Amino acid sequence: MNALRARADSASGRLYGAYLPKDVVKPMAEQERRSDAHGALATWQAFAAGLAEVREQGLSRTEGSVVAGVSAMSAPVFDHRGQIVLAITAIGTAPSFDTRWDGALAQALRQSGAAVSERLGWRAGV
C-alpha cells in the first residue's frame, strides 16, 4: 500500500494510509486493490472510512483479516514535523489478543508511540 510495502489491509498498512497524504495513498491502494486476487481490499470510499477511524482512535487494528486467527494493533510514531515515520505493531493470536480500542494493549501502544514521537521532537497539540 505504501512506500514501505505494507499491505493496505494490515494494521501497519492502514496506519500509514491514515497518516500519509491522500494523493500518495489513494493511487497505491487502488493499484493494490486491482491486483488483489483475493478481493480483500474494499473500494476507496470504504478504505477511506476505515482510515478516518484510525485517525479518530490514534491506532489501527486488524482481526484475522491478513492471517486467519491472527490480530494486530499499530500505533504511529511522528517526527518533529508531525509526519509518520514508524509504526509500533503488536501481533498475536486472536483468542488471547485484546484489540479493544480502550484495552490495556491499546493504551500501552498509544503511550509508547507518544513517548517515541516526543523523543523525535513531536509535540502533539502544538
Side-chain angles (χ1 to χ4, degrees):
M1 194 281 318
N2 62 52
L4 300 177
R5 307 294 297 161
R7 285 179 46 158
D9 60 340
S10 69
S12 56
R14 290 179 187 171
L15 190 76
Y16 279 100
Y19 291 106
L20 288 172
K22 179 182 174 182
D23 63 330
V24 171
V25 174
K26 186 175 181 180
M28 294 176 139
E30 288 293 337
Q31 180 181 4
E32 186 172 330
R33 186 181 60 78
R34 285 191 301 274
S35 66
D36 183 15
H38 304 292
L41 291 180
T43 64
W44 171 253
Q45 292 80 10
F47 185 63
L51 300 182
E53 180 182 41
V54 169
R55 288 186 293 272
E56 178 183 323
Q57 295 296 333
L59 295 172
S60 177
R61 68 180 176 191
T62 58
E63 298 169 302
S65 61
V66 177
V67 176
V70 176
S71 296
M73 289 191 93
S74 269
V77 173
F78 301 104
D79 67 9
H80 65 283
R81 299 167 293 163
Q83 295 181 351
I84 188 170
V85 293
L86 180 71
I88 300 174
T89 304
I91 302 169
T93 55
S96 62
F97 194 82
D98 182 7
T99 58
R100 292 174 298 137
W101 293 125
D102 62 348
L105 176 61
Q107 292 174 16
L109 283 169
R110 282 188 190 97
Q111 290 170 355
S112 297
V116 176
S117 296
E118 187 175 314
R119 299 236 8 208
L120 294 177
W122 171 241
R123 300 292 182 257
V126 176

